[in-house]
Every structure is written in C-alpha cells, then in structure tokens.
Amino acid sequence: MHCCLSVLLLGLWLAPPLSGEPLRLYSQEYPPVNFSVAGEPAGMAVEVVRELARRSGQPISLEVVPWARAYREARTRPNAGVFVAMRTAEREPLFQWVGPITVNSTGFYGLNDFTPRIDTLEDARHHGQIAIPREWYSHQLLLAEGFTNLHPVPGPDMVVQMLKHRRVKLMVMDNLGLPAYLARGGLRDDEVKLLFSFLRSYSYIAFSPETDPSVVARWQEELDGMKRDGSFATIHHKWLPGAEMPGLRAPP
C-alpha cells in the first residue's frame, strides 16, 4: 500500500506543470478590445489575457495579425488560440472556449441621409451591396441566411471607407468597434446611424482542439475568479465604459 502511494505521489510530482509550453495567442486590429500600439498588443481583451496568464502561471506569446491568419492558426496549431472570437453554432465544434469576454450587438449602418427603413433581414437584401468584414462571424451568419448582396472586404477600416465614399449604402459593424473605426476612417458618430440590429453575441478566447483541455479549464476558472473579485470589471470599464459586461456564463 505504501509502495502504491509513493508511486502515485511520484507521478503527481513528475506531472508537467501548467506553465510548461507557451501558448501562442493571436488577435487582430479590433480597437478598443484588441489592437496594436507601436507593434505591441493592447486593449481590453489583451489586459484580460495577460492577467489570466499571470494567474495561471502560463507563459504566452501575443501577436496581432490579420483575422484570417489568426483564425487559421487557432484552428490548426496545438497550444494556440485567437481572441476575441464570437462563439457561434458553426464555430462551436471547431474550438475550445474560454469566456465570455464581451457582449456585442451587430447591425446594419448607413449614412444619415439613408431614408428607407430596415426592420428585418429581408429588408436589407434590397439596397445594393453591403460592405462587411470578410470571414467575420457576421459575414458567416449572413451567408448562411442566403444573402447574395454582400461585399466582403479584408477588414473594418475598408468597410467604413466604402460607406464614407458611398460605394455602398449599408455596412455591417458591431457596437464595440464602431466608434474607433469611424474615427480612423474620418467619420463622426453623428454622420452614421444604426438602421437595424440583427445579432447579439458574446466573444471568447478560442483555443485550438489540440490545446491541452486542462489548460483551457484552468483559464476558464481564472476568468471566473476575475469576474468574482472585481478585477475583470475594472478592466472592462477602463476600456469599454458604459458597455454591457458579460456574466460568468453567456445565456444559451
């Protein structure tokens, strides 16, 4: 019996620590949630991720890259993840999820002189091309809804430019990124109006299927701890004052 106990304790002592292999984490330019300043990652989610790494004792590397690359790396590379990513039914089996990090509302926006009403998704099909960031969750959703008038472009900055120069009448954007992208594109908030909100969603850290599940579980535990002790709320309010803050778990 003492021999078995000794073997068990030795096995536990030799078990690899959680902080073994660094996690490769990718994000994109999505201010103020995650973005880069002079080549260094910054933003609300970046602060949360760094604190999760500190609490879990997990070494990480952070890189801000185009969304398509971030998504691909997080799907295929062991010990890798992308943040923030919207958790949708289509993506659910592709990743392991830690969150929620933000609550987002996505809709159709137009310039203030856009006069037709848009009250449904069907209405939006009849106003020419719609600028939308390529391969974003909203793009995938509208494709699944059978939209044929989408004009996907590499990112939100180009979406805003297309609307500003009236190459399209509508663009798809979410409420958290909208102010920063309008400012970067030379549009004031009062020059653009929300016409119809069609999606409420929650963002997460999405880890590859090959990432150690115990690491993912530990990160979720630490995130829940941040929400309970108030540190998550402090970071959220710093970057997203007035925005809705997610609870411990998103509604199904």
Side-chain angles (χ1 to χ4, degrees):
M1 178 67 178
H2 290 294
C3 177
C4 294
L5 180 59
S6 298
V7 171
L8 176 61
L9 291 174
L10 178 62
L12 291 175
W13 182 75
L14 293 176
L18 187 60
S19 59
E21 182 178 347
L23 289 176
R24 291 181 175 269
L25 295 172
Y26 301 90
S27 67
Q28 62 165 331
E29 293 289 344
Y30 176 49
V33 181
N34 33 257
F35 58 102
S36 60
V37 177
E40 290 297 317
M44 178 263 174
V46 171
E47 282 200 28
V48 171
V49 163
R50 284 179 168 150
E51 178 62 12
L52 291 174
R54 187 192 69 79
R55 291 186 180 211
S56 65
Q58 180 72 52
I60 60 173
S61 67
L62 295 179
E63 193 174 356
V64 178
V65 299
W67 170 251
R69 179 188 168 193
Y71 190 81
R72 180 179 66 251
E73 295 284 354
R75 279 197 62 185
T76 59
R77 182 190 287 268
N79 298 307
V82 57
F83 68 96
V84 290
M86 300 303 161
R87 188 172 184 173
T88 65
E90 293 75 20
R91 294 175 177 176
E92 181 68 30
L94 303 178
F95 298 98
Q96 302 181 75
W97 302 89
V98 170
I101 305 296
T102 64
V103 184
N104 301 61
S105 178
T106 301
F108 298 102
Y109 291 83
L111 295 174
N112 267 339
D113 57 5
F114 183 90
T115 55
R117 287 188 57 177
I118 295 181
D119 297 317
T120 65
L121 286 179
E122 187 61 33
D123 291 341
R125 300 177 194 269
H126 306 296
H127 297 287
Q129 295 289 294
I130 302 170
I132 190 168
R134 181 180 290 117
E135 294 305 321
W136 277 30
Y137 66 105
S138 47
H139 183 205
Q140 295 170 344
L141 182 147
L142 293 178
L143 283 176
E145 290 288 335
F147 271 68
T148 59
N149 60 328
L150 301 177
H151 189 111
V153 297
D157 288 310
M158 190 176 295
V159 168
V160 170
Q161 288 302 310
M162 292 187 70
L163 184 70
K164 177 182 178 180
H165 296 294
R166 300 181 183 271
R167 294 177 57 193
V168 295
K169 293 182 179 178
L170 299 176
M171 71 174 182
V172 172
M173 193 71 67
D174 75 77
N175 62 316
L176 298 186
L178 179 69
Y181 287 120
L182 290 180
R184 284 161 51 147
L187 281 174
R188 300 189 312 272
D189 290 352
D190 61 4
E191 292 180 281
V192 174
K193 61 182 177 181
L194 174 64
L195 300 164
F196 177 62
S197 179
F198 64 89
L199 177 64
R200 175 182 167 86
S201 55
Y202 295 81
S203 77
Y204 285 71
I205 308 166
F207 289 99
S208 67
E210 292 78 15
T211 301
D212 185 347
S214 68
V215 172
V216 178
R218 174 69 177 275
W219 276 51
Q220 184 65 63
E221 291 172 5
E222 297 296 351
L223 178 61
D224 291 348
M226 288 181 65
K227 291 179 178 179
R228 292 189 180 100
D229 67 24
S231 55
F232 180 88
T234 299
I235 296 172
H236 191 277
H237 180 72
K238 170 185 172 182
W239 291 97
L240 300 170
E244 181 180 356
M245 190 174 71
L248 290 177
R249 297 288 188 274

